[in-house]
Coordinates of all heavy atoms in Angstrom, one line a residue:
M260 N 93.5 80.1 80.0 CA 94.7 79.2 79.9 C 95.8 79.6 80.9 O 96.5 78.7 81.4 CB 95.2 79.2 78.5 CG 96.4 78.3 78.3 SD 96.1 76.6 78.7 CE 95.4 75.9 77.3
A261 N 95.9 80.9 81.1 CA 96.9 81.4 82.1 C 96.7 80.9 83.5 O 97.6 80.6 84.2 CB 97.0 82.9 82.0
A262 N 95.4 80.8 83.8 CA 95.0 80.3 85.2 C 95.4 78.9 85.4 O 95.9 78.5 86.4 CB 93.5 80.5 85.4
I263 N 95.3 78.1 84.3 CA 95.6 76.6 84.4 C 97.1 76.5 84.5 O 97.6 75.7 85.3 CB 95.1 75.9 83.1 CG1 93.6 75.9 83.2 CG2 95.6 74.5 83.1 CD1 92.9 75.4 82.0
V264 N 97.8 77.3 83.8 CA 99.3 77.3 83.9 C 99.7 77.7 85.3 O 100.6 77.2 85.9 CB 100.0 78.2 82.8 CG1 101.5 78.3 83.0 CG2 99.7 77.6 81.4
G265 N 99.1 78.7 85.9 CA 99.3 79.1 87.3 C 99.0 78.0 88.3 O 99.8 77.9 89.2
V266 N 98.0 77.3 88.1 CA 97.7 76.1 89.0 C 98.8 75.1 88.9 O 99.2 74.5 89.9 CB 96.3 75.5 88.7 CG1 96.2 74.2 89.3 CG2 95.2 76.5 89.1
I267 N 99.3 74.8 87.7 CA 100.4 73.9 87.5 C 101.6 74.3 88.2 O 102.3 73.5 88.9 CB 100.6 73.6 86.0 CG1 99.4 72.9 85.3 CG2 101.9 72.9 85.7 CD1 99.5 72.8 83.9
H268 N 102.0 75.6 88.1 CA 103.2 76.1 88.7 C 103.0 76.1 90.2 O 103.9 75.9 91.0 CB 103.5 77.5 88.2 CG 104.1 77.4 86.8 ND1 105.2 76.7 86.5 CD2 103.6 77.9 85.6 CE1 105.4 76.8 85.2 NE2 104.5 77.6 84.6
G269 N 101.8 76.5 90.7 CA 101.6 76.5 92.2 C 101.7 75.1 92.7 O 102.3 74.9 93.8
S270 N 101.2 74.1 92.0 CA 101.3 72.7 92.5 C 102.7 72.2 92.4 O 103.2 71.6 93.4 CB 100.5 71.8 91.6 OG 99.1 72.2 91.6
L271 N 103.5 72.6 91.5 CA 104.9 72.2 91.3 C 105.7 72.9 92.5 O 106.6 72.3 93.1 CB 105.4 72.6 90.0 CG 106.9 72.2 89.7 CD1 107.1 70.7 89.7 CD2 107.3 72.7 88.3
F272 N 105.4 74.1 92.7 CA 106.1 74.9 93.8 C 105.8 74.2 95.1 O 106.7 74.0 96.0 CB 105.5 76.3 93.9 CG 106.3 77.2 94.8 CD1 107.5 77.8 94.5 CD2 105.8 77.3 96.1 CE1 108.1 78.6 95.4 CE2 106.5 78.2 97.1 CZ 107.6 78.8 96.7
H273 N 104.6 73.8 95.4 CA 104.3 73.1 96.7 C 105.0 71.7 96.7 O 105.4 71.3 97.7 CB 102.8 72.9 96.8 CG 102.4 72.2 98.1 ND1 102.5 72.8 99.4 CD2 101.9 70.9 98.3 CE1 102.2 72.0 100.3 NE2 101.8 70.8 99.7
L274 N 105.1 71.0 95.6 CA 105.7 69.8 95.5 C 107.2 69.9 95.9 O 107.7 69.0 96.6 CB 105.6 69.1 94.1 CG 106.1 67.7 94.0 CD1 105.4 66.7 94.8 CD2 106.1 67.3 92.5
I275 N 107.8 71.0 95.4 CA 109.3 71.1 95.7 C 109.5 71.8 97.1 O 110.4 71.3 97.8 CB 109.9 72.0 94.6 CG1 109.8 71.3 93.2 CG2 111.3 72.4 94.9 CD1 110.1 72.2 92.1
F276 N 108.8 72.8 97.4 CA 109.1 73.6 98.6 C 108.1 73.5 99.8 O 108.3 74.0 100.8 CB 109.3 75.1 98.2 CG 110.3 75.4 97.3 CD1 110.0 75.8 96.0 CD2 111.7 75.3 97.6 CE1 111.0 76.0 95.1 CE2 112.6 75.5 96.7 CZ 112.3 75.9 95.4
G277 N 106.9 72.8 99.5 CA 105.9 72.8 100.5 C 106.2 71.9 101.7 O 106.9 70.8 101.5
H278 N 105.7 72.2 102.8 CA 105.9 71.4 104.0 C 104.6 70.8 104.6 O 104.5 69.7 105.0 CB 106.6 72.1 105.1 CG 108.0 72.6 104.7 ND1 109.0 71.8 104.6 CD2 108.4 73.9 104.5 CE1 110.1 72.4 104.3 NE2 109.8 73.7 104.1
E279 N 103.5 71.6 104.5 CA 102.3 71.2 105.1 C 101.2 71.3 104.0 O 101.3 72.1 103.1 CB 101.9 72.1 106.3 CG 102.9 72.0 107.4 CD 102.5 72.9 108.5 OE1 101.4 73.4 108.6 OE2 103.4 73.1 109.4
L280 N 100.1 70.6 104.2 CA 99.0 70.6 103.2 C 98.3 71.9 103.3 O 97.7 72.4 102.3 CB 98.0 69.5 103.5 CG 97.0 69.2 102.5 CD1 97.6 68.9 101.1 CD2 96.1 68.1 103.0
S281 N 98.3 72.6 104.4 CA 97.6 73.9 104.5 C 98.3 75.0 103.6 O 97.6 76.0 103.3 CB 97.6 74.4 105.9 OG 98.9 74.6 106.4
E282 N 99.5 74.8 103.2 CA 100.2 75.7 102.4 C 99.8 75.6 100.9 O 100.0 76.5 100.1 CB 101.7 75.6 102.5 CG 102.3 75.8 103.8 CD 103.7 75.4 104.0 OE1 104.2 74.8 103.1 OE2 104.3 75.8 104.9
L283 N 99.2 74.5 100.6 CA 98.8 74.2 99.2 C 97.8 75.2 98.6 O 98.0 75.7 97.5 CB 98.2 72.8 99.0 CG 97.8 72.4 97.6 CD1 99.0 72.4 96.7 CD2 97.2 71.0 97.7
S284 N 96.8 75.6 99.4 CA 95.8 76.5 98.8 C 96.4 77.9 98.6 O 96.0 78.5 97.6 CB 94.6 76.6 99.8 OG 95.0 77.0 101.1
A285 N 97.2 78.4 99.5 CA 97.9 79.6 99.3 C 98.8 79.6 98.1 O 98.8 80.5 97.3 CB 98.7 80.1 100.5
G286 N 99.5 78.5 97.9 CA 100.4 78.4 96.7 C 99.6 78.3 95.4 O 100.0 78.9 94.4
L287 N 98.5 77.6 95.4 CA 97.7 77.6 94.2 C 97.0 78.9 93.9 O 97.0 79.4 92.8 CB 96.5 76.6 94.4 CG 96.9 75.1 94.4 CD1 95.7 74.2 94.6 CD2 97.6 74.7 93.1
G288 N 96.6 79.6 95.0 CA 96.0 81.0 94.8 C 97.1 81.9 94.2 O 96.8 82.7 93.3
L289 N 98.3 81.9 94.8 CA 99.3 82.8 94.3 C 99.7 82.4 92.9 O 100.0 83.3 92.0 CB 100.5 82.8 95.2 CG 100.3 83.5 96.5 CD1 101.5 83.2 97.4 CD2 100.2 85.0 96.3
G290 N 99.8 81.2 92.6 CA 100.1 80.7 91.2 C 99.1 81.2 90.2 O 99.5 81.6 89.1
V291 N 97.8 81.1 90.5 CA 96.8 81.6 89.6 C 96.8 83.0 89.4 O 96.8 83.5 88.3 CB 95.4 81.1 90.2 CG1 94.3 81.8 89.4 CG2 95.2 79.7 90.1
V292 N 97.0 83.8 90.5 CA 97.1 85.3 90.4 C 98.3 85.7 89.5 O 98.2 86.5 88.6 CB 97.1 86.0 91.8 CG1 97.5 87.4 91.6 CG2 95.8 85.8 92.5
G293 N 99.5 85.1 89.8 CA 100.7 85.3 89.0 C 100.5 84.9 87.6 O 100.9 85.6 86.7
G294 N 99.8 83.8 87.3 CA 99.6 83.3 86.0 C 98.7 84.3 85.2 O 98.9 84.6 84.0
I295 N 97.6 84.7 85.8 CA 96.7 85.6 85.2 C 97.4 87.0 84.9 O 97.3 87.5 83.7 CB 95.4 85.8 86.0 CG1 94.7 84.5 86.0 CG2 94.6 87.0 85.5 CD1 93.4 84.5 86.9
V296 N 98.1 87.5 85.8 CA 98.8 88.8 85.6 C 99.9 88.6 84.5 O 100.0 89.4 83.6 CB 99.5 89.3 86.9 CG1 100.4 90.5 86.6 CG2 98.4 89.7 87.9
G297 N 100.6 87.5 84.5 CA 101.6 87.2 83.5 C 101.0 87.0 82.1 O 101.5 87.4 81.1
G298 N 99.8 86.4 82.1 CA 99.1 86.2 80.8 C 98.6 87.6 80.2 O 98.7 87.8 79.0
A299 N 98.1 88.5 81.1 CA 97.7 89.8 80.7 C 98.9 90.6 80.2 O 98.8 91.3 79.2 CB 97.0 90.5 81.8
L300 N 100.0 90.5 80.9 CA 101.2 91.2 80.5 C 101.8 90.6 79.2 O 102.3 91.3 78.4 CB 102.3 91.1 81.6 CG 103.5 92.0 81.5 CD1 103.2 93.5 81.5 CD2 104.5 91.6 82.5
G301 N 101.7 89.3 79.1 CA 102.3 88.7 77.9 C 101.5 88.9 76.7 O 102.0 88.9 75.6
S302 N 100.2 89.3 76.8 CA 99.4 89.6 75.6 C 99.8 91.0 75.1 O 99.5 91.3 74.0 CB 97.9 89.5 75.9 OG 97.5 90.5 76.9
A303 N 100.4 91.8 76.0 CA 100.8 93.2 75.5 C 102.1 93.2 74.7 O 102.4 94.1 74.0 CB 100.9 94.1 76.7
I304 N 102.9 92.1 74.9 CA 104.2 92.1 74.1 C 104.0 91.3 72.9 O 103.0 90.6 72.7 CB 105.3 91.5 75.0 CG1 104.9 90.1 75.5 CG2 105.5 92.4 76.3 CD1 106.1 89.4 76.3
P305 N 104.9 91.4 72.0 CA 104.8 90.7 70.7 C 104.7 89.2 70.9 O 105.1 88.7 71.9 CB 106.1 91.0 69.9 CG 106.6 92.3 70.6 CD 106.1 92.2 72.0
P306 N 104.2 88.5 69.9 CA 104.0 87.0 70.0 C 105.3 86.3 70.4 O 106.4 86.6 69.8 CB 103.5 86.6 68.6 CG 102.9 87.8 68.1 CD 103.7 89.0 68.6
A307 N 105.2 85.4 71.3 CA 106.4 84.7 71.7 C 106.5 83.3 71.0 O 105.5 82.8 70.4 CB 106.4 84.5 73.2
V308 N 107.7 82.7 71.1 CA 107.9 81.4 70.6 C 107.0 80.3 71.3 O 106.4 79.5 70.8 CB 109.4 81.0 70.6 CG1 109.6 79.6 70.1 CG2 110.2 82.0 69.8
L309 N 107.0 80.5 72.7 CA 106.3 79.6 73.5 C 105.0 80.2 73.9 O 104.9 81.0 74.8 CB 107.0 79.2 74.8 CG 108.3 78.4 74.5 CD1 109.1 78.3 75.8 CD2 108.0 77.1 74.0
A310 N 103.9 79.9 73.2 CA 102.6 80.4 73.5 C 101.5 79.4 73.2 O 101.7 78.5 72.3 CB 102.3 81.7 72.6
I311 N 100.5 79.4 74.0 CA 99.3 78.5 73.8 C 98.2 79.5 73.7 O 97.7 80.1 74.6 CB 99.1 77.6 75.0 CG1 100.3 76.6 75.2 CG2 97.9 76.8 74.8 CD1 100.2 75.7 76.4
G312 N 97.7 79.6 72.5 CA 96.6 80.6 72.2 C 97.1 82.0 72.4 O 98.2 82.4 71.9
E313 N 96.5 82.7 73.3 CA 96.9 84.1 73.7 C 97.8 84.1 74.8 O 98.4 85.1 75.1 CB 95.6 84.9 74.0 CG 94.7 85.1 72.8 CD 95.3 86.0 71.8 OE1 96.0 87.0 72.1 OE2 95.1 85.7 70.6
A314 N 98.0 83.0 75.5 CA 98.8 82.9 76.7 C 100.3 82.8 76.4 O 100.7 81.8 75.8 CB 98.4 81.8 77.6
N315 N 101.1 83.8 76.8 CA 102.5 83.7 76.6 C 103.1 82.9 77.7 O 103.1 83.4 78.9 CB 103.1 85.1 76.5 CG 104.6 85.2 76.3 OD1 105.3 84.2 76.4 ND2 105.1 86.4 75.9
L316 N 103.6 81.7 77.5 CA 104.1 80.9 78.6 C 105.3 81.4 79.3 O 105.5 81.1 80.5 CB 104.4 79.5 78.0 CG 103.2 78.7 77.6 CD1 103.6 77.3 77.1 CD2 102.2 78.5 78.7
I317 N 106.1 82.2 78.6 CA 107.3 82.7 79.3 C 106.9 83.7 80.3 O 107.4 83.7 81.5 CB 108.3 83.3 78.2 CG1 108.8 82.2 77.3 CG2 109.5 84.0 78.9 CD1 109.6 82.7 76.1
S318 N 106.1 84.7 80.0 CA 105.7 85.7 81.0 C 104.8 85.1 82.1 O 104.9 85.5 83.3 CB 105.0 86.9 80.3 OG 103.8 86.5 79.7
T319 N 103.9 84.2 81.7 CA 103.1 83.5 82.7 C 103.9 82.8 83.7 O 103.7 82.9 84.9 CB 102.1 82.6 82.0 OG1 101.4 83.3 81.0 CG2 101.1 81.9 82.9
T320 N 104.9 82.0 83.2 CA 105.8 81.3 84.1 C 106.6 82.2 85.0 O 106.7 81.9 86.3 CB 106.7 80.4 83.3 OG1 105.9 79.5 82.6 CG2 107.6 79.6 84.2
I321 N 107.1 83.2 84.5 CA 108.0 84.1 85.3 C 107.2 84.8 86.4 O 107.6 84.9 87.5 CB 108.7 85.2 84.4 CG1 109.8 84.4 83.5 CG2 109.3 86.3 85.2 CD1 110.4 85.3 82.5
L322 N 106.0 85.3 86.0 CA 105.2 86.0 87.0 C 104.6 85.1 88.0 O 104.5 85.4 89.2 CB 104.2 86.9 86.4 CG 104.7 88.3 86.2 CD1 105.2 88.6 84.8 CD2 103.8 89.3 86.7
A323 N 104.2 83.9 87.6 CA 103.7 82.9 88.6 C 104.8 82.5 89.6 O 104.5 82.5 90.8 CB 103.2 81.6 87.9
W324 N 106.0 82.2 89.2 CA 107.1 81.9 90.1 C 107.5 83.1 90.9 O 107.9 82.9 92.1 CB 108.3 81.3 89.3 CG 108.0 79.8 89.1 CD1 107.4 79.3 87.9 CD2 108.3 78.7 89.9 NE1 107.4 77.9 88.1 CE2 107.9 77.5 89.3 CE3 108.9 78.6 91.2 CZ2 108.0 76.3 89.8 CZ3 109.0 77.3 91.7 CH2 108.6 76.2 91.0
S325 N 107.5 84.3 90.4 CA 107.8 85.5 91.2 C 106.7 85.7 92.3 O 107.1 86.0 93.4 CB 107.8 86.7 90.3 OG 108.8 86.6 89.3
A326 N 105.5 85.5 92.0 CA 104.4 85.6 93.0 C 104.6 84.5 94.1 O 104.5 84.8 95.3 CB 103.1 85.5 92.4
L327 N 105.0 83.3 93.7 CA 105.2 82.2 94.6 C 106.4 82.5 95.5 O 106.4 82.2 96.7 CB 105.3 80.9 93.9 CG 104.0 80.4 93.3 CD1 104.2 79.3 92.3 CD2 103.1 79.9 94.4
A328 N 107.5 83.0 94.9 CA 108.7 83.3 95.7 C 108.4 84.5 96.7 O 108.9 84.4 97.8 CB 109.8 83.7 94.7
L329 N 107.6 85.5 96.2 CA 107.3 86.5 97.2 C 106.4 86.0 98.3 O 106.6 86.4 99.5 CB 106.5 87.6 96.4 CG 106.1 88.9 97.2 CD1 107.3 89.6 97.8 CD2 105.3 89.8 96.4
G330 N 105.5 85.1 98.0 CA 104.7 84.5 99.0 C 105.5 83.7 100.0 O 105.2 83.6 101.2
R331 N 106.5 83.0 99.5 CA 107.4 82.2 100.3 C 108.2 83.1 101.3 O 108.4 82.8 102.4 CB 108.3 81.4 99.5 CG 109.3 80.5 100.2 CD 108.4 79.4 100.8 NE 109.3 78.4 101.3 CZ 109.0 77.3 101.8 NH1 107.7 77.0 101.8 NH2 109.8 76.4 102.3
L332 N 108.7 84.3 100.7 CA 109.4 85.2 101.5 C 108.6 85.9 102.6 O 109.0 86.1 103.7 CB 110.0 86.3 100.7 CG 111.2 86.0 99.8 CD1 111.6 87.1 98.9 CD2 112.4 85.5 100.7
L333 N 107.3 86.1 102.3 CA 106.4 86.6 103.3 C 105.7 85.6 104.2 O 104.8 85.9 105.0 CB 105.2 87.5 102.6 CG 105.8 88.7 101.8 CD1 104.6 89.3 101.0 CD2 106.4 89.7 102.7
R334 N 106.1 84.3 104.1 CA 105.6 83.2 104.8 C 104.2 82.9 104.6 O 103.4 82.5 105.5 CB 106.0 83.4 106.3 CG 107.4 83.7 106.6 CD 108.0 82.6 107.4 NE 109.4 83.0 107.8 CZ 110.4 82.4 107.4 NH1 110.3 81.4 106.6 NH2 111.6 82.8 107.8
I335 N 103.7 83.2 103.4 CA 102.3 82.9 103.1 C 102.1 81.5 102.7 O 101.2 80.8 103.0 CB 101.7 83.9 102.0 CG1 101.8 85.3 102.5 CG2 100.4 83.5 101.5 CD1 101.5 86.4 101.5
C336 N 103.1 81.0 101.9 CA 103.0 79.6 101.4 C 104.3 78.9 101.6 O 105.3 79.5 101.9 CB 102.6 79.5 100.0 SG 103.7 80.3 98.8

């Protein structure tokens, strides 16, 4: 579930900040990686108010957008 949330955030990031279609794949990849790491980190903290199954949406969102922002700073996406 965290990977799907990462894809959604990667797509949204490209929709807002993207310029070229070639940046989409990097954005999706970074969103998925950030989402999975956020999901793993979110499972270690107590249950959150916003959760889908085991995926903590708050930590998944924060880490996905952090990975995307870092990728933007490094000119990856």
Side-chain angles (χ1 to χ4, degrees):
M260 183 53 87
I263 294 171
V264 173
V266 167
I267 292 169
H268 288 300
S270 301
L271 183 61
F272 185 85
H273 181 72
L274 182 67
I275 296 170
F276 299 110
H278 298 288
E279 298 178 13
L280 189 59
S281 62
E282 298 171 346
L283 178 61
S284 61
L287 291 177
L289 286 172
V291 167
V292 169
I295 291 172
V296 171
L300 187 67
S302 66
I304 60 176
V308 175
L309 295 173
I311 298 176
E313 295 291 321
N315 183 344
L316 291 180
I317 296 171
S318 65
T319 305
T320 299
I321 290 172
L322 268 102
W324 279 91
S325 298
L327 290 164
L329 181 64
R331 184 70 173 188
L332 286 174
L333 297 175
R334 309 240 186 249
I335 295 172
C336 62

